[in-house]
Amino acid sequence: MPHTVIASAVRVPWHSHHGGYDRLLDYLPETERITAPQGITSQKIAAVAHRWLRRRCPLPFYPAEHFATDVRVLSRRGPAHVLYGDEQFWFSRHRPGPTAVTYHQPPAHLTRFMPATNWRRLSAHASQIITLAPDQRAFFADHLPEERVHLIPHGIDTAAFTPAGVPEPDTRPLVLTVGWWLRDWDVLDTVHDQLHQRHDNDIELVVVTRQADQRTWHPAVHVLEGISELTLTRLYRQAAAVLLPLTDATANNALLEALACGTPVVATDTGGISYYTGYGPATLLAPPGDAAAAAEAVETLLGELGTAAHAARRAAARERAELFAWPRIAEQVRAVYRLLEDEQ
């Protein structure tokens, strides 16, 4: 490509090393990563400017690091890609060059961020918008020409998240939940209680999350926080099922990580979840807010342990994840970069 695409490489701190949307850039060597300034003086200047300008930005999550990256993108010419538009694309909307922007939040959350008139004005500054789920694409297609809105899924590192052998028959089945954003805690608590009442200590219930001390957990649940990616991957591989009750979603890192590890998933059929799972054997989907259906789906997976049906689900999970391998996703994003080039 004649011009290098600059990309704002903000790292979301709660993602594992090989997780998160910024891993996309590992498969786009033609990009130049723009990060927040690293020097102490530059960081202090950015912090002061952030305190003054933050009031002029309606984005709800706009920390100093994102602001500093936003400003650095603003100052650069040529094509650019803002990886987290929900959290970065504000001041950089005035930059001198064509810009692609990826949005991650569901339409309901975007609507709460700002009124439609603000979204229409902001969207007009993006040359191309990348969305991660079909309902997001419909949301932005209401604000700018449809041909400028692209549905390109989130990716997964299928080399880092891989299957292993099935758990030994004499081990306690593990039901694993990972994550915190847009989780339906009421459904999770109810399912945990039902599973515990039926299986008592013959089942292991584990939740990997952040801010674990901010809520009360079922006494049978083992809660983990701040674990290594190696430990997380081992848990995915060991689990009989990954349970993901959700209130809304576009893409979901935990869903893709579990599938890549060959683990069947029980998830809420909301937002973009069915776009990522399909309706094959790898995932059982429950209606929103339906704890009974989620518990029944988990019981189905537990009842199949050690059978050919469960092995088939594991194989289907891995096969589904491979559709979202980062090299595939990078090629789709590269096509958007070519559109940016055409605007130069």
Side-chain angles (χ1 to χ4, degrees):
M1 296 175 66
H3 296 275
T4 299
V5 176
I6 62 173
S8 56
V10 166
R11 184 81 183 124
V12 177
W14 49 84
H15 289 157
S16 64
H17 178 69
H18 289 95
Y21 191 67
D22 62 304
R23 293 281 73 91
L24 166 68
L25 301 183
D26 293 342
Y27 301 87
L28 292 168
E30 62 268 34
T31 59
E32 176 189 349
R33 297 177 187 239
I34 303 297
T35 59
Q38 301 301 311
I40 295 177
T41 301
S42 298
Q43 289 177 356
K44 288 181 178 179
I45 293 173
V48 172
H50 175 257
R51 284 195 295 270
W52 183 61
L53 292 170
R54 176 67 182 89
R55 294 169 295 176
R56 304 187 182 188
C57 175
L59 301 180
F61 182 65
Y62 198 61
E65 180 187 4
H66 290 197
F67 162 77
T69 307
D70 205 20
V71 171
R72 294 190 73 187
V73 171
L74 169 64
S75 66
R76 297 289 299 274
R77 295 184 176 274
H81 182 190
V82 176
L83 270 63
Y84 286 91
D86 335 61
E87 304 167 6
Q88 294 178 272
F89 187 59
W90 183 251
F91 294 108
S92 60
R93 72 192 191 277
H94 297 301
R95 63 178 306 275
T99 308
V101 186
T102 299
Y103 284 95
H104 295 253
Q105 295 304 323
H109 283 256
L110 296 175
T111 301
R112 284 195 286 271
F113 288 174
M114 295 188 298
T117 52
N118 284 19
W119 278 115
R120 191 168 293 110
R121 292 169 186 158
L122 181 62
S123 299
H125 290 277
S127 306
Q128 310 292 331
I129 286 181
I130 296 173
T131 60
L132 304 179
D135 55 351
Q136 270 187 314
R137 189 169 192 265
F139 174 86
F140 284 104
D142 283 341
H143 302 312
L144 73 167
E146 187 174 353
E147 63 271 15
R148 288 168 52 193
V149 185
H150 310 271
L151 175 56
I152 301 178
H154 201 295
I156 179 66
D157 188 333
T158 53
F161 295 95
T162 58
V166 297
E168 293 296 327
D170 58 349
T171 61
R172 289 192 302 161
L174 167 64
V175 177
L176 175 67
T177 297
V178 177
W180 67 282
W181 180 243
L182 300 179
R183 298 314 190 257
D184 191 332
W185 301 119
D186 292 336
V187 166
L188 183 65
D189 290 340
T190 301
V191 174
H192 279 162
D193 186 61
Q194 292 182 17
L195 292 174
H196 180 64
Q197 287 188 36
R198 178 167 183 178
H199 299 278
D200 197 21
N201 292 326
D202 292 331
I203 194 172
E204 188 175 5
L205 306 174
V206 175
V207 175
V208 178
T209 189
R210 64 189 296 266
Q211 301 175 338
D213 58 351
Q214 295 189 12
R215 69 182 311 273
T216 301
W217 301 91
H218 189 283
V221 174
H222 186 199
V223 182
L224 301 173
E225 186 170 1
I227 64 174
S228 68
E229 184 178 86
L230 178 60
T231 300
L232 175 63
T233 305
R234 286 173 176 169
L235 288 170
Y236 279 132
R237 292 169 175 170
Q238 179 188 349
V242 168
L243 172 60
L244 296 177
L246 302 162
T247 58
D248 207 343
T250 54
N252 186 283
N253 278 281
L255 171 66
L256 292 174
E257 290 167 2
L259 294 177
C261 289
T263 305
V265 176
V266 173
T268 306
D269 191 0
T270 185
I273 293 301
S274 63
Y275 171 68
Y276 285 89
T277 64
Y279 290 95
T283 312
L284 300 179
L285 300 181
D290 194 336
E296 182 180 352
V298 174
E299 292 287 6
T300 295
L301 296 179
L302 293 176
E304 292 177 350
L305 284 176
T307 70
H310 195 76
R313 290 191 192 275
R314 288 185 171 272
R318 176 65 184 188
E319 184 178 359
R320 185 69 186 178
E322 288 172 349
L323 297 177
F324 305 101
W326 276 125
R328 289 174 177 254
I329 306 307
E331 279 304 309
Q332 297 178 59
V333 174
R334 191 171 280 117
V336 175
Y337 287 0
R338 287 194 286 269
L339 294 176
L340 297 181
E341 275 296 319
D342 291 342
E343 297 183 43
Q344 284 290 105

